[in-house]
Amino acid sequence: MKKLAASLHDAVADIPDSAQIMIGGFGGSGAPIELIHALIDRFRATGSPKNVTVINNNAGNGATGIAAMIKAGMVGKMICSFPRSSNAEAFNTKYLAGEIELELVPQGTLAERIRAAGAGIPAFYTPTSYGTDLAIGKPTEEFDGKMYVRERSLTADFALIKAHKGDHVGNLTYRMAARNFNPLMAMAAAKTIAQVAELDVPGTIEPEQVITPGIFVDTVVSVPNPKQEEELVREGAEY
Amino acid sequence: MSDFNVMEDKLANAQIAWRAAQDLSDGSYVNLGIGFPEMIAKFQPVGRDVTYHTENGVLGFGKAPDVGQEDWDLINAGKRAVTLKAGASFFHHADSFSMVRGGHLDLAVLGAYQVAQNGDLANWSVGAKGVPAVGGAMDLVHGAKNVAVVTDHVTKKGEPKLLDACTLPLTGIGCVTRVYTSLAVIDIVDGQFVLREKLAQISLDQLQSVTGATLHIDGTVGDLIVPEDI
């Protein structure tokens, strides 16, 4: 197995311009801050990757993580359900200036679109958003007397995710509510890069405790004592 | 003519939340929307066992930890720190929304800009300006077995929030089953508002005058009685 990256720099080295990137996390919990910052470092040093599409529940908070990506000018589009936060200035400024595109997706539909992609399901039906502005232009169908909207699966070129424990074959566990979108995105992206707070040798994580099996993970990078976005926001940190 | 002042004599949000809490069923699984609806948990009647779900992937969470004791990997959908009760569980977002969309939640309580007599809800967008955000509201309204709303009966300008048809962008069609307002408790049955309780001080005529669709009566209308000291 050659899944282990020597550094954060190496882990994100292959992400090209215009890539569609899933980034795990819900608010600050489960956000892979170090991977995001490594990508920003690359963009600042080389001008690439530019014009990327980011898929996340939110659209950044404060001035680190996704907010810092947006502020750096490397994000052309956000696909998310709730681009509001305690400090969403980075996204709001670009959005209101027409400098960033937004695809707004109901939260459960966002999760299911990602799950479907990981499971090889191209489309599915849900009652969510039926009859609302977010269903405009989407096919509908009646099943058992109830109306449903057809939604397409959502894939990505890369997923950046944050796990708690990981091993050299890519098995992952998560910490508390930091799990959120991370296991789904690991399944859905063509290439999944996971930062792990604790890197174990294979066999250390009990098979029964594995939440994301290694088949869904391409690259593992060790990041002991990772930053927590909520704490960074409270400290007023900027990246 | 009643001397009841709708803007001044109405219930406070905490009192509306208290009234909604009285209907929490023992053994139920409940999702409370961010903000005002979250207050309901504070008034959960003693002796009733209610398990709270939050969209980001926790079942069985409790109150906020003491300041300084927060673990920011343990939050609710409002991004606030919470604690765990015995029997709590974590799960990913697709499982979380399977609980919602698969009809496993007994009750979701949401806030509202407008509710229509057929159960249409508008609570996510006030129109074109600003940055739109939807979150899990559109999922909750179609997934939970019962969808209740807690709201002021009228807007800050005194205009009705309960209408024959919503004018703001919809969150869902025909989804609300019960509305707890600052003046009344109203069920939605077969496309009509059915008045169950109202404040004793307000006359039926005055209540109707601040409601944007006909209030129907089916049997007795009870007095809406809540503690004054909350």
Side-chain angles (χ1 to χ4, degrees):
Chain A
M1 288 281 172
K2 294 190 179 69
K3 293 189 178 181
L4 201 59
S7 67
L8 285 159
H9 175 269
D10 288 359
V12 300
D14 295 337
I15 300 178
D17 291 347
S18 306
Q20 181 141 309
I21 309 170
M22 290 176 173
I23 299 183
F26 176 91
S29 65
I33 292 295
E34 285 76 8
L35 281 173
I36 297 170
H37 289 176
L39 205 57
I40 296 172
D41 289 347
R42 221 190 97 202
F43 174 75
R44 285 182 178 146
T46 69
S48 184
K50 62 178 183 290
N51 192 33
V52 301
T53 294
V54 171
I55 301 164
N56 181 265
N57 187 65
N58 306 97
N61 187 15
T64 63
I66 291 173
M69 270 181 96
I70 292 169
K71 214 169 175 182
M74 59 193 292
V75 182
K77 181 179 178 182
M78 281 297 316
I79 301 176
C80 66
S81 87
F82 205 80
R84 261 183 223 150
S85 64
S86 56
N87 178 2
E89 191 202 333
F91 177 79
N92 289 358
T93 306
K94 295 267 186 199
Y95 179 77
L96 296 173
E99 291 168 4
I100 194 165
E101 201 184 327
L102 170 67
E103 180 181 338
L104 193 68
V105 184
Q107 200 172 332
T109 296
L110 182 63
E112 192 63 18
R113 288 179 66 190
I114 297 168
R115 192 197 74 83
I121 297 167
F124 60 92
Y125 286 90
T126 175
T128 298
S129 91
Y130 177 76
T132 76
D133 291 351
L134 297 189
I136 291 170
K138 291 176 183 168
T140 58
E141 195 167 334
E142 185 180 326
F143 296 96
D144 305 321
K146 196 172 167 182
M147 292 305 295
Y148 293 79
V149 177
R150 193 172 83 198
E151 295 281 0
R152 293 296 312 271
S153 61
L154 184 60
T155 57
D157 303 307
F158 289 86
L160 305 182
I161 67 169
K162 181 183 190 179
H164 181 46
K165 291 184 184 182
D167 63 21
H168 296 70
V169 301
N171 292 318
L172 304 175
T173 72
Y174 303 89
R175 190 168 177 276
M176 299 200 276
R179 188 180 307 186
N180 53 64
F181 282 92
N182 284 300
L184 307 176
M185 291 177 169
M187 293 166 65
K191 194 169 180 206
T192 292
I193 305 164
Q195 66 168 74
V196 302
E198 191 182 315
L199 181 65
D200 295 336
V201 293
T204 313
I205 303 174
E206 284 292 320
E208 283 181 340
Q209 305 301 321
V210 171
I211 295 165
T212 294
I215 190 170
F216 298 126
V217 179
D218 300 278
T219 302
V220 175
V221 60
S222 173
V223 180
N225 306 311
K227 295 273 196 319
Q228 218 287 355
E229 186 187 270
E230 183 66 30
E231 287 169 7
L232 293 175
V233 170
R234 283 165 190 267
E235 288 164 12
E238 281 186 44
Y239 195 79
Chain B
M1 188 65 195
S2 162
D3 58 359
F4 184 87
N5 184 321
V6 167
M7 303 309 280
E8 288 172 12
D9 303 333
K10 65 181 182 176
L11 298 183
N13 281 358
Q15 293 172 307
I16 302 171
W18 181 91
R19 175 60 191 86
Q22 306 315 301
D23 291 343
L24 291 170
S25 314
D26 190 31
S28 59
Y29 290 93
V30 175
N31 183 297
L32 300 175
I34 297 168
F36 177 12
E38 278 181 90
M39 228 193 278
I40 293 168
K42 212 166 80 178
F43 302 113
Q44 180 184 321
V46 174
R48 274 182 234 175
D49 182 23
V50 179
T51 305
Y52 295 103
H53 167 269
T54 184
E55 292 95 310
N56 55 312
V58 190
L59 203 54
F61 66 94
K63 58 183 184 178
D66 292 337
V67 175
Q69 298 300 306
E70 299 94 346
D71 182 324
W72 295 108
D73 283 344
L74 182 53
I75 57 174
N76 64 12
K79 323 259 164 48
R80 293 183 184 196
V82 294
T83 53
L84 296 177
K85 291 180 172 175
S89 54
F90 298 123
F91 33 85
H92 62 59
H93 243 77
D95 279 354
S96 184
F97 278 89
S98 293
M99 293 174 196
V100 174
R101 295 148 74 117
H104 304 282
L105 291 179
D106 297 293
L107 173 69
V109 189
L110 300 158
Y113 297 137
Q114 296 175 333
V115 181
Q117 59 187 346
N118 67 343
D120 287 0
L121 173 68
N123 82 343
W124 75 280
S125 169
V126 288
K129 282 189 179 170
V131 179
V134 64
M138 286 190 183
D139 304 284
L140 284 163
V141 296
H142 287 296
K145 288 174 192 146
N146 293 288
V147 176
V149 159
V150 286
T151 180
D152 239 310
H153 201 90
V154 296
T155 67
K156 289 195 174 78
K157 289 180 183 167
E159 291 157 350
K161 296 182 79 167
L162 277 61
L163 304 167
D164 54 358
C166 294
T167 57
L168 292 171
L170 293 180
T171 306
I173 289 182
C175 51
V176 176
T177 50
R178 174 163 263 212
V179 187
Y180 301 93
T181 82
S182 48
L183 304 175
V185 178
I186 294 163
D187 279 340
I188 290 167
V189 184
D190 298 331
Q192 296 183 329
F193 287 133
V194 177
L195 181 63
R196 299 299 185 198
E197 296 176 14
K198 67 170 184 64
L199 290 176
Q201 310 90 298
I202 189 170
S203 70
L204 187 55
D205 283 350
Q206 193 180 0
L207 183 63
Q208 181 63 73
S209 74
V210 291
T211 308
T214 305
L215 291 169
H216 295 264
I217 312 279
D218 178 16
T220 342
V221 175
D223 285 341
L224 171 53
I225 299 167
V226 303
E228 285 180 13
D229 56 346
I230 53 172

